[in-house]
Amino acid sequence: AKRYGDKGLPEDTIRVYLKGSAGQSFGAFGATGLSLFLQGDANDYLGKGLSGAKIILSPPAGSRFDTTKNIIAGNTILYGATSGEVYISGRAGQRFCVRNSGATAVVEGVGDHGCEYMTGGTVVVLGTIGNNFGAGMSGGTAYVFDDEDQSLENYNREMVGVGPVSAEDKVILKDLLQRHLQYTGSQKAGLILDNWAFSASRFMKVCAPSAPQQIEKIV
């Protein structure tokens, strides 16, 4: 910390490759320059307080289950994270990215209360969401791939605006999907990118109405 300061080490300076089941708080408070690659599954609080590190969670090699329908990570993922990136090829439990203030995450489905109390950062959900999505969300942006015509009732409409993505949003999304595919080999990300001209229009943008510069065209 004395040598590199708040910026930390260059990206991917330290790479850790793991297989199996991680307990609670895997990668908690991870700093910039650290990259954790886990094939398997993780419990609650993955990436708690993340501070610039990168976490990649994917199923074991040879796994055949549908990642958009199976939970691979527990509850309260990225609780209080301030920066960094997380790519999860599978679903996460409840309260995904609660109190996230700056981290970026891609996941293939979440339970109830996703992005609760989020104040910053970017979240991409490539599958279904649970109830009360965006409760207490005052900042940041979430993108939900709505290929199953999810009910708007799943979103906390008292707290967030929901609407179509812009051309600028599509650029951000495509870059994050490419990174997700690169790191996890996600079949869902591959399918979306292969049919990008159509798939891009299936994303919904979610953000707090208190940030009007972020919600142009949001209804």
Side-chain angles (χ1 to χ4, degrees):
K2 289 181 179 179
R3 180 178 298 180
Y4 294 100
D6 291 340
K7 290 184 178 180
L9 295 163
E11 184 178 4
D12 293 330
T13 299
I14 302 171
R15 302 184 185 188
V16 181
Y17 296 90
L18 302 163
K19 294 181 180 180
S21 297
Q24 294 201 2
S25 301
F26 177 73
F29 309 109
T32 305
L34 173 65
S35 297
L36 301 174
F37 299 81
L38 172 61
Q39 281 191 10
D41 57 79
N43 213 311
D44 302 340
Y45 291 102
L46 177 144
K48 175 182 177 181
L50 195 71
S51 302
K54 186 163 56 187
I55 301 175
I56 291 90
L57 175 59
S58 56
S63 173
R64 297 182 179 180
F65 65 76
D66 184 346
T67 55
T68 63
K69 299 186 183 301
N70 288 271
I71 295 175
I72 196 173
N75 302 311
T76 20
I77 305 300
L78 284 169
Y79 175 81
T82 60
S83 57
E85 301 172 63
V86 170
Y87 300 91
I88 300 174
S89 183
R91 295 181 61 86
Q94 297 185 5
R95 291 189 160 87
F96 184 81
C97 276
V98 58
R99 299 193 184 279
N100 174 34
S101 65
T104 297
V106 182
V107 65
E108 301 187 5
V110 297
D112 295 342
H113 317 296
C115 296
E116 188 177 40
Y117 303 120
M118 197 166 103
T119 62
T122 303
V123 172
V124 180
V125 183
L126 302 182
T128 57
I129 59 174
N131 295 319
N132 204 32
F133 189 90
M137 184 177 172
S138 61
T141 306
Y143 301 100
V144 178
F145 186 61
D146 191 17
D147 62 339
E148 298 186 23
D149 294 318
Q150 300 184 70
S151 172
L152 287 176
E153 294 179 358
N154 285 10
Y155 300 93
N156 188 316
R157 300 300 300 279
E158 295 181 1
M159 300 300 301
V160 294
V162 183
V165 294
S166 66
E168 182 179 354
D169 293 322
K170 291 177 182 179
V171 173
I172 295 170
L173 280 165
K174 189 172 186 180
D175 176 66
L176 288 174
L177 284 169
Q178 288 172 334
R179 290 174 71 83
H180 187 57
L181 177 61
Q182 173 192 347
Y183 289 132
T184 71
S186 166
Q187 291 186 356
K188 186 63 178 283
L191 289 171
I192 294 173
L193 288 168
D194 286 344
N195 197 21
W196 182 245
F198 170 77
S199 298
S201 64
R202 301 297 295 172
F203 279 96
M204 301 295 287
K205 182 178 182 178
V206 184
C207 50
S210 60
Q213 73 278 8
Q214 296 185 33
I215 56 172
E216 184 179 359
K217 299 181 181 179
I218 296 294
V219 293

